[in-house]
Amino acid sequence: MKFDAVMAPHRFWYILPKLQEAGIFNSLKEDGAWGGIKPRNTACLYGDKFNVYIDASDGHAVEFGSVDSCERALWVVEDTKEKPFLYFRCWNSPLMCVEIDQIISENGGKIIPFMYWGTFSYFPSILNSRTELFGQDRNTPNTIDVGVAGKAKKYSTYKRSKFDKRMSWKGYEWFGYGPAVDTGMDEHSARIEIIDKIKKSRYTYEQVYDIPIEELISKSMNWKVVYDLPGMSSVSHRMFEFGWFGKCVVLRKSDLDFPYSWKEYYPELDYNSDTWEDDLGEIIENHEEWGDKIKYYLETYCTPEVVVDYFLKEIEKGI
């Protein structure tokens, strides 16, 4: 089965070469990352029997106190023109995507959990040097318990549109439905709260931000664990940046997961738990063991070959 595909190469750089090698494209049109003729952060594959969409958006943090808005799903339903479709979602959270799931399932779509990857330009260099970085990290004394890479700041997302409550007011414009009329923002301060808890804990810590990636990695060699901070999603790309070379990355406990589950490989913490500090201490004590698990997970279940193989097998199953 072959498809006419439209996608932004920089967003899908991790899997695009293997997709091309698999020979599933009749044609490939490269679209801009932030709009253009197709929606943001979405790969569109048009087939004779069904279409395939990959939602590589940033996800939606539970801390916002709302579920994710539906403009992308509604656009896909219109775009597929009543043809059945597969909807691969990179950041899969049934809790946050309950409204999206309903729209897709009621309109001929099948939701398939998918994997994510980093989209920053420095990711290939980390991947290519991960063995060297792993050795360097294990040979460097870890003198600091917890490392934090990011500012203590609030994150915000767009409230719902006054014209269609299923969409955000900015998404209403992004996806071509009409003008953006500001109805306000939802906010969360999880990063501020977590960093404050780490500062007040019994553990040594270092916080860095706004520095080159090379300097960040160098500093991380002194850390026992990297505490991943929620942003637009409940987890971030830090799980890949540091995980690829065997750092212990602590994730925010959530229902987010990949089809090959990470739950037994990445430590997760609920920062609102009464036992948070003790739970973090156990992870710090076993940081190398966790780092080994994370590295094994990524190299076993998250390589481009594995991700594309999973993708192709799901397509073969069809609707």
Side-chain angles (χ1 to χ4, degrees):
M1 184 174 297
K2 293 199 172 188
F3 300 86
D4 295 310
V6 184
M7 68 180 70
H10 107 273
R11 192 72 176 184
F12 295 92
W13 69 274
Y14 193 68
I15 60 173
L16 182 54
K18 292 299 177 183
L19 289 175
Q20 290 174 309
E21 287 178 18
I24 67 167
F25 298 147
N26 283 318
S27 64
L28 173 62
K29 185 169 185 177
E30 298 181 357
D31 189 33
W34 302 112
I37 63 171
K38 296 296 173 188
R40 299 157 54 97
N41 305 330
T42 308
C44 306
L45 285 70
Y46 300 101
D48 292 333
K49 296 182 179 180
F50 59 87
N51 296 337
V52 178
Y53 300 89
I54 306 175
D55 175 359
S57 57
D58 292 331
H60 190 84
V62 66
E63 284 81 5
F64 284 124
S66 61
V67 298
D68 205 354
S69 54
C70 305
E71 52 269 15
R72 187 186 320 275
L74 291 165
W75 183 93
V76 165
V77 169
E78 290 186 9
D79 183 65
T80 200
K81 297 179 177 62
E82 298 187 353
K83 185 186 294 185
F85 64 96
L86 303 179
Y87 192 90
F88 287 80
R89 187 164 56 222
C90 294
W91 289 120
N92 187 55
S93 168
L95 178 64
M96 291 293 98
C97 298
V98 60
E99 293 182 7
I100 295 171
D101 290 358
Q102 182 176 356
I103 289 171
I104 291 171
S105 61
E106 290 178 353
N107 288 276
K110 179 181 177 182
I111 300 152
I112 301 176
F114 201 36
M115 298 82 152
Y116 192 66
W117 48 86
T119 57
F120 292 97
S121 60
Y122 55 74
F123 267 83
S125 65
I126 294 176
L127 284 171
N128 293 334
S129 58
R130 62 183 183 272
T131 300
E132 177 185 346
L133 291 172
F134 175 76
Q136 182 181 345
D137 181 65
R138 290 304 168 90
N139 290 318
T140 301
N142 303 133
T143 57
I144 297 171
D145 293 325
V146 183
V148 177
K151 293 181 179 179
K153 66 177 184 178
K154 292 183 178 180
Y155 268 76
S156 60
T157 192
Y158 306 101
K159 288 182 178 291
R160 297 301 175 100
S161 168
K162 63 182 292 186
F163 303 113
D164 190 330
K165 296 300 182 182
R166 299 171 298 175
M167 307 185 197
S168 71
W169 64 264
K170 193 64 175 177
Y172 191 79
E173 177 188 51
W174 278 337
F175 286 81
Y177 290 98
V181 177
D182 191 342
T183 59
M185 306 294 286
D186 288 322
E187 292 185 336
H188 78 73
S189 55
R191 289 196 171 199
I192 298 172
E193 296 167 15
I194 290 172
I195 290 173
D196 185 60
K197 292 192 74 167
I198 293 171
K199 288 179 178 179
K200 294 177 179 177
S201 74
R202 59 180 180 267
Y203 308 117
T204 57
Y205 77 96
E206 181 177 34
Q207 179 186 3
V208 297
Y209 51 86
D210 292 342
I211 61 175
I213 186 63
E214 295 82 7
E215 186 177 349
L216 173 58
I217 289 176
S218 178
K219 284 183 174 294
S220 77
M221 299 294 174
N222 297 313
W223 306 342
K224 294 178 182 176
V225 306
V226 180
Y227 206 112
D228 181 58
L229 301 173
M232 293 306 296
S233 180
S234 293
V235 301
S236 81
H237 54 86
R238 302 298 184 199
M239 68 181 293
F240 307 107
E241 281 175 357
F242 298 103
W244 272 112
F245 64 91
K247 292 298 292 187
C248 174
V249 185
V250 181
L251 304 183
R252 188 251 194 266
K253 190 173 184 179
S254 72
D255 73 329
L256 274 173
D257 205 358
F258 292 161
Y260 301 126
S261 178
W262 73 54
K263 297 298 183 180
E264 294 185 5
Y265 298 92
Y266 279 86
E268 294 187 332
L269 281 183
D270 177 359
Y271 65 91
N272 292 312
S273 169
D274 292 338
T275 61
W276 171 85
E277 190 168 359
D278 290 336
D279 295 339
L280 178 57
E282 290 185 15
I283 296 170
I284 292 170
E285 185 176 348
N286 299 291
H287 66 97
E288 286 195 356
E289 180 182 344
W290 278 114
D292 289 340
K293 288 182 178 180
I294 291 169
K295 186 171 181 289
Y296 172 83
Y297 172 79
L298 293 175
E299 292 183 342
T300 304
Y301 299 112
C302 294
T303 64
E305 293 81 4
V306 173
V307 174
V308 170
D309 181 66
Y310 169 84
F311 180 75
L312 296 176
K313 286 179 178 177
E314 291 297 323
I315 288 178
E316 287 176 6
K317 295 177 185 176
I319 301 297

PDB file of all heavy atoms in Angstrom, residues 253-275:
ATOM      1  N   LYS A 253       4.544  11.767  37.031  1.00  0.00           N
ATOM      2  CA  LYS A 253       3.623  10.647  36.937  1.00  0.00           C
ATOM      3  C   LYS A 253       2.344  11.080  36.217  1.00  0.00           C
ATOM      4  O   LYS A 253       1.700  12.059  36.600  1.00  0.00           O
ATOM      5  CB  LYS A 253       3.289  10.112  38.330  1.00  0.00           C
ATOM      6  CG  LYS A 253       2.524   8.803  38.309  1.00  0.00           C
ATOM      7  CD  LYS A 253       2.367   8.242  39.707  1.00  0.00           C
ATOM      8  CE  LYS A 253       1.686   6.876  39.668  1.00  0.00           C
ATOM      9  NZ  LYS A 253       1.548   6.288  41.016  1.00  0.00           N
ATOM     10  N   SER A 254       1.988  10.335  35.157  1.00  0.00           N
ATOM     11  CA  SER A 254       0.807  10.672  34.369  1.00  0.00           C
ATOM     12  C   SER A 254       0.359   9.435  33.603  1.00  0.00           C
ATOM     13  O   SER A 254       0.989   8.376  33.688  1.00  0.00           O
ATOM     14  CB  SER A 254       1.124  11.807  33.380  1.00  0.00           C
ATOM     15  OG  SER A 254       1.960  11.335  32.337  1.00  0.00           O
ATOM     16  N   ASP A 255      -0.717   9.585  32.820  1.00  0.00           N
ATOM     17  CA  ASP A 255      -1.165   8.462  32.002  1.00  0.00           C
ATOM     18  C   ASP A 255      -0.506   8.457  30.625  1.00  0.00           C
ATOM     19  O   ASP A 255      -0.779   7.591  29.809  1.00  0.00           O
ATOM     20  CB  ASP A 255      -2.690   8.464  31.861  1.00  0.00           C
ATOM     21  CG  ASP A 255      -3.206   9.560  30.933  1.00  0.00           C
ATOM     22  OD1 ASP A 255      -2.561  10.625  30.853  1.00  0.00           O
ATOM     23  OD2 ASP A 255      -4.263   9.360  30.296  1.00  0.00           O
ATOM     24  N   LEU A 256       0.357   9.417  30.350  1.00  0.00           N
ATOM     25  CA  LEU A 256       1.104   9.426  29.097  1.00  0.00           C
ATOM     26  C   LEU A 256       1.952   8.169  28.968  1.00  0.00           C
ATOM     27  O   LEU A 256       2.556   7.711  29.936  1.00  0.00           O
ATOM     28  CB  LEU A 256       2.041  10.640  29.039  1.00  0.00           C
ATOM     29  CG  LEU A 256       1.496  11.963  28.524  1.00  0.00           C
ATOM     30  CD1 LEU A 256       2.542  13.049  28.729  1.00  0.00           C
ATOM     31  CD2 LEU A 256       1.104  11.878  27.057  1.00  0.00           C
ATOM     32  N   ASP A 257       2.004   7.615  27.760  1.00  0.00           N
ATOM     33  CA  ASP A 257       2.832   6.437  27.536  1.00  0.00           C
ATOM     34  C   ASP A 257       2.963   6.201  26.040  1.00  0.00           C
ATOM     35  O   ASP A 257       2.236   6.792  25.231  1.00  0.00           O
ATOM     36  CB  ASP A 257       2.226   5.204  28.205  1.00  0.00           C
ATOM     37  CG  ASP A 257       3.270   4.138  28.542  1.00  0.00           C
ATOM     38  OD1 ASP A 257       4.461   4.346  28.219  1.00  0.00           O
ATOM     39  OD2 ASP A 257       2.887   3.103  29.120  1.00  0.00           O
ATOM     40  N   PHE A 258       3.906   5.350  25.671  1.00  0.00           N
ATOM     41  CA  PHE A 258       4.070   4.899  24.295  1.00  0.00           C
ATOM     42  C   PHE A 258       3.494   3.483  24.177  1.00  0.00           C
ATOM     43  O   PHE A 258       3.275   2.815  25.188  1.00  0.00           O
ATOM     44  CB  PHE A 258       5.547   4.890  23.905  1.00  0.00           C
ATOM     45  CG  PHE A 258       6.172   6.258  23.801  1.00  0.00           C
ATOM     46  CD1 PHE A 258       7.550   6.414  23.853  1.00  0.00           C
ATOM     47  CD2 PHE A 258       5.397   7.390  23.640  1.00  0.00           C
ATOM     48  CE1 PHE A 258       8.135   7.664  23.750  1.00  0.00           C
ATOM     49  CE2 PHE A 258       5.972   8.654  23.541  1.00  0.00           C
ATOM     50  CZ  PHE A 258       7.348   8.789  23.599  1.00  0.00           C
ATOM     51  N   PRO A 259       3.265   3.000  22.941  1.00  0.00           N
ATOM     52  CA  PRO A 259       2.724   1.640  22.793  1.00  0.00           C
ATOM     53  C   PRO A 259       3.628   0.574  23.388  1.00  0.00           C
ATOM     54  O   PRO A 259       3.141  -0.416  23.937  1.00  0.00           O
ATOM     55  CB  PRO A 259       2.570   1.481  21.274  1.00  0.00           C
ATOM     56  CG  PRO A 259       3.384   2.568  20.670  1.00  0.00           C
ATOM     57  CD  PRO A 259       3.377   3.679  21.648  1.00  0.00           C
ATOM     58  N   TYR A 260       4.953   0.748  23.282  1.00  0.00           N
ATOM     59  CA  TYR A 260       5.886  -0.068  24.053  1.00  0.00           C
ATOM     60  C   TYR A 260       6.133   0.714  25.339  1.00  0.00           C
ATOM     61  O   TYR A 260       6.900   1.672  25.368  1.00  0.00           O
ATOM     62  CB  TYR A 260       7.186  -0.295  23.291  1.00  0.00           C
ATOM     63  CG  TYR A 260       6.999  -0.977  21.950  1.00  0.00           C
ATOM     64  CD1 TYR A 260       7.501  -0.414  20.773  1.00  0.00           C
ATOM     65  CD2 TYR A 260       6.335  -2.189  21.844  1.00  0.00           C
ATOM     66  CE1 TYR A 260       7.337  -1.029  19.539  1.00  0.00           C
ATOM     67  CE2 TYR A 260       6.166  -2.818  20.624  1.00  0.00           C
ATOM     68  CZ  TYR A 260       6.662  -2.232  19.473  1.00  0.00           C
ATOM     69  OH  TYR A 260       6.485  -2.854  18.262  1.00  0.00           O
ATOM     70  N   SER A 261       5.481   0.326  26.399  1.00  0.00           N
ATOM     71  CA  SER A 261       5.369   1.158  27.596  1.00  0.00           C
ATOM     72  C   SER A 261       6.731   1.488  28.218  1.00  0.00           C
ATOM     73  O   SER A 261       7.608   0.635  28.323  1.00  0.00           O
ATOM     74  CB  SER A 261       4.502   0.458  28.638  1.00  0.00           C
ATOM     75  OG  SER A 261       4.422   1.234  29.816  1.00  0.00           O
ATOM     76  N   TRP A 262       6.860   2.729  28.673  1.00  0.00           N
ATOM     77  CA  TRP A 262       8.078   3.149  29.372  1.00  0.00           C
ATOM     78  C   TRP A 262       7.935   3.037  30.888  1.00  0.00           C
ATOM     79  O   TRP A 262       8.875   3.319  31.630  1.00  0.00           O
ATOM     80  CB  TRP A 262       8.460   4.578  29.003  1.00  0.00           C
ATOM     81  CG  TRP A 262       7.612   5.687  29.580  1.00  0.00           C
ATOM     82  CD1 TRP A 262       7.308   5.903  30.893  1.00  0.00           C
ATOM     83  CD2 TRP A 262       6.997   6.765  28.861  1.00  0.00           C
ATOM     84  NE1 TRP A 262       6.544   7.028  31.048  1.00  0.00           N
ATOM     85  CE2 TRP A 262       6.340   7.593  29.820  1.00  0.00           C
ATOM     86  CE3 TRP A 262       6.950   7.130  27.520  1.00  0.00           C
ATOM     87  CZ2 TRP A 262       5.638   8.743  29.463  1.00  0.00           C
ATOM     88  CZ3 TRP A 262       6.253   8.283  27.173  1.00  0.00           C
ATOM     89  CH2 TRP A 262       5.600   9.067  28.126  1.00  0.00           C
ATOM     90  N   LYS A 263       6.786   2.607  31.384  1.00  0.00           N
ATOM     91  CA  LYS A 263       6.474   2.716  32.798  1.00  0.00           C
ATOM     92  C   LYS A 263       7.421   1.952  33.715  1.00  0.00           C
ATOM     93  O   LYS A 263       7.590   2.333  34.879  1.00  0.00           O
ATOM     94  CB  LYS A 263       5.033   2.266  33.056  1.00  0.00           C
ATOM     95  CG  LYS A 263       3.973   3.117  32.362  1.00  0.00           C
ATOM     96  CD  LYS A 263       3.988   4.556  32.822  1.00  0.00           C
ATOM     97  CE  LYS A 263       2.876   5.353  32.179  1.00  0.00           C
ATOM     98  NZ  LYS A 263       2.859   6.770  32.617  1.00  0.00           N
ATOM     99  N   GLU A 264       8.031   0.885  33.227  1.00  0.00           N
ATOM    100  CA  GLU A 264       8.964   0.135  34.074  1.00  0.00           C
ATOM    101  C   GLU A 264      10.415   0.531  33.817  1.00  0.00           C
ATOM    102  O   GLU A 264      11.311  -0.041  34.442  1.00  0.00           O
ATOM    103  CB  GLU A 264       8.780  -1.365  33.835  1.00  0.00           C
ATOM    104  CG  GLU A 264       7.422  -1.886  34.290  1.00  0.00           C
ATOM    105  CD  GLU A 264       7.313  -3.396  34.166  1.00  0.00           C
ATOM    106  OE1 GLU A 264       8.328  -4.040  33.818  1.00  0.00           O
ATOM    107  OE2 GLU A 264       6.218  -3.928  34.417  1.00  0.00           O
ATOM    108  N   TYR A 265      10.625   1.494  32.951  1.00  0.00           N
ATOM    109  CA  TYR A 265      11.989   1.884  32.580  1.00  0.00           C
ATOM    110  C   TYR A 265      12.348   3.297  33.027  1.00  0.00           C
ATOM    111  O   TYR A 265      13.511   3.568  33.332  1.00  0.00           O
ATOM    112  CB  TYR A 265      12.168   1.763  31.065  1.00  0.00           C
ATOM    113  CG  TYR A 265      11.984   0.362  30.546  1.00  0.00           C
ATOM    114  CD1 TYR A 265      10.745  -0.086  30.109  1.00  0.00           C
ATOM    115  CD2 TYR A 265      13.049  -0.540  30.523  1.00  0.00           C
ATOM    116  CE1 TYR A 265      10.557  -1.385  29.650  1.00  0.00           C
ATOM    117  CE2 TYR A 265      12.879  -1.831  30.055  1.00  0.00           C
ATOM    118  CZ  TYR A 265      11.627  -2.248  29.623  1.00  0.00           C
ATOM    119  OH  TYR A 265      11.463  -3.534  29.170  1.00  0.00           O
ATOM    120  N   TYR A 266      11.373   4.180  33.061  1.00  0.00           N
ATOM    121  CA  TYR A 266      11.576   5.545  33.561  1.00  0.00           C
ATOM    122  C   TYR A 266      10.934   5.669  34.940  1.00  0.00           C
ATOM    123  O   TYR A 266       9.759   5.297  35.116  1.00  0.00           O
ATOM    124  CB  TYR A 266      10.922   6.575  32.645  1.00  0.00           C
ATOM    125  CG  TYR A 266      11.707   6.965  31.418  1.00  0.00           C
ATOM    126  CD1 TYR A 266      11.604   6.224  30.254  1.00  0.00           C
ATOM    127  CD2 TYR A 266      12.529   8.095  31.420  1.00  0.00           C
ATOM    128  CE1 TYR A 266      12.300   6.578  29.108  1.00  0.00           C
ATOM    129  CE2 TYR A 266      13.225   8.472  30.285  1.00  0.00           C
ATOM    130  CZ  TYR A 266      13.109   7.713  29.132  1.00  0.00           C
ATOM    131  OH  TYR A 266      13.801   8.082  27.999  1.00  0.00           O
ATOM    132  N   PRO A 267      11.631   6.226  35.917  1.00  0.00           N
ATOM    133  CA  PRO A 267      10.970   6.493  37.200  1.00  0.00           C
ATOM    134  C   PRO A 267       9.996   7.659  37.054  1.00  0.00           C
ATOM    135  O   PRO A 267      10.290   8.653  36.385  1.00  0.00           O
ATOM    136  CB  PRO A 267      12.138   6.866  38.123  1.00  0.00           C
ATOM    137  CG  PRO A 267      13.184   7.424  37.206  1.00  0.00           C
ATOM    138  CD  PRO A 267      13.050   6.661  35.916  1.00  0.00           C
ATOM    139  N   GLU A 268       8.829   7.526  37.652  1.00  0.00           N
ATOM    140  CA  GLU A 268       7.817   8.578  37.634  1.00  0.00           C
ATOM    141  C   GLU A 268       7.475   8.981  39.065  1.00  0.00           C
ATOM    142  O   GLU A 268       7.380   8.129  39.944  1.00  0.00           O
ATOM    143  CB  GLU A 268       6.554   8.112  36.916  1.00  0.00           C
ATOM    144  CG  GLU A 268       6.740   7.839  35.439  1.00  0.00           C
ATOM    145  CD  GLU A 268       5.423   7.548  34.737  1.00  0.00           C
ATOM    146  OE1 GLU A 268       4.491   7.033  35.407  1.00  0.00           O
ATOM    147  OE2 GLU A 268       5.313   7.821  33.535  1.00  0.00           O
ATOM    148  N   LEU A 269       7.268  10.275  39.257  1.00  0.00           N
ATOM    149  CA  LEU A 269       6.921  10.788  40.583  1.00  0.00           C
ATOM    150  C   LEU A 269       5.713  11.704  40.507  1.00  0.00           C
ATOM    151  O   LEU A 269       5.565  12.489  39.573  1.00  0.00           O
ATOM    152  CB  LEU A 269       8.093  11.588  41.172  1.00  0.00           C
ATOM    153  CG  LEU A 269       9.257  10.818  41.792  1.00  0.00           C
ATOM    154  CD1 LEU A 269      10.262  11.804  42.379  1.00  0.00           C
ATOM    155  CD2 LEU A 269       8.774   9.871  42.872  1.00  0.00           C
ATOM    156  N   ASP A 270       4.869  11.594  41.511  1.00  0.00           N
ATOM    157  CA  ASP A 270       3.787  12.544  41.705  1.00  0.00           C
ATOM    158  C   ASP A 270       4.309  13.607  42.675  1.00  0.00           C
ATOM    159  O   ASP A 270       4.489  13.343  43.864  1.00  0.00           O
ATOM    160  CB  ASP A 270       2.565  11.829  42.290  1.00  0.00           C
ATOM    161  CG  ASP A 270       1.415  12.782  42.582  1.00  0.00           C
ATOM    162  OD1 ASP A 270       1.560  13.998  42.345  1.00  0.00           O
ATOM    163  OD2 ASP A 270       0.366  12.304  43.064  1.00  0.00           O
ATOM    164  N   TYR A 271       4.551  14.802  42.151  1.00  0.00           N
ATOM    165  CA  TYR A 271       5.178  15.821  43.006  1.00  0.00           C
ATOM    166  C   TYR A 271       4.224  16.360  44.073  1.00  0.00           C
ATOM    167  O   TYR A 271       4.642  17.121  44.956  1.00  0.00           O
ATOM    168  CB  TYR A 271       5.751  16.968  42.163  1.00  0.00           C
ATOM    169  CG  TYR A 271       4.736  17.794  41.395  1.00  0.00           C
ATOM    170  CD1 TYR A 271       4.172  18.935  41.945  1.00  0.00           C
ATOM    171  CD2 TYR A 271       4.367  17.452  40.103  1.00  0.00           C
ATOM    172  CE1 TYR A 271       3.263  19.697  41.249  1.00  0.00           C
ATOM    173  CE2 TYR A 271       3.457  18.206  39.390  1.00  0.00           C
ATOM    174  CZ  TYR A 271       2.911  19.330  39.960  1.00  0.00           C
ATOM    175  OH  TYR A 271       2.005  20.079  39.261  1.00  0.00           O
ATOM    176  N   ASN A 272       2.956  15.959  44.022  1.00  0.00           N
ATOM    177  CA  ASN A 272       2.005  16.345  45.069  1.00  0.00           C
ATOM    178  C   ASN A 272       1.871  15.286  46.161  1.00  0.00           C
ATOM    179  O   ASN A 272       1.111  15.469  47.115  1.00  0.00           O
ATOM    180  CB  ASN A 272       0.629  16.606  44.449  1.00  0.00           C
ATOM    181  CG  ASN A 272       0.626  17.838  43.559  1.00  0.00           C
ATOM    182  OD1 ASN A 272       1.113  18.888  43.958  1.00  0.00           O
ATOM    183  ND2 ASN A 272       0.079  17.717  42.357  1.00  0.00           N
ATOM    184  N   SER A 273       2.602  14.178  46.015  1.00  0.00           N
ATOM    185  CA  SER A 273       2.503  13.097  46.980  1.00  0.00           C
ATOM    186  C   SER A 273       3.173  13.469  48.304  1.00  0.00           C
ATOM    187  O   SER A 273       4.200  14.162  48.331  1.00  0.00           O
ATOM    188  CB  SER A 273       3.161  11.840  46.404  1.00  0.00           C
ATOM    189  OG  SER A 273       3.318  10.848  47.395  1.00  0.00           O
ATOM    190  N   ASP A 274       2.609  12.970  49.403  1.00  0.00           N
ATOM    191  CA  ASP A 274       3.191  13.218  50.723  1.00  0.00           C
ATOM    192  C   ASP A 274       4.550  12.534  50.868  1.00  0.00           C
ATOM    193  O   ASP A 274       5.358  12.925  51.715  1.00  0.00           O
ATOM    194  CB  ASP A 274       2.246  12.709  51.818  1.00  0.00           C
ATOM    195  CG  ASP A 274       0.954  13.525  51.907  1.00  0.00           C
ATOM    196  OD1 ASP A 274       0.965  14.690  51.454  1.00  0.00           O
ATOM    197  OD2 ASP A 274      -0.050  12.999  52.416  1.00  0.00           O
ATOM    198  N   THR A 275       4.793  11.493  50.062  1.00  0.00           N
ATOM    199  CA  THR A 275       6.050  10.745  50.159  1.00  0.00           C
ATOM    200  C   THR A 275       7.034  11.137  49.061  1.00  0.00           C
ATOM    201  O   THR A 275       8.018  10.438  48.822  1.00  0.00           O
ATOM    202  CB  THR A 275       5.777   9.232  50.083  1.00  0.00           C
ATOM    203  OG1 THR A 275       5.160   8.918  48.816  1.00  0.00           O
ATOM    204  CG2 THR A 275       4.858   8.790  51.206  1.00  0.00           C
TER     205      THR A 275
END
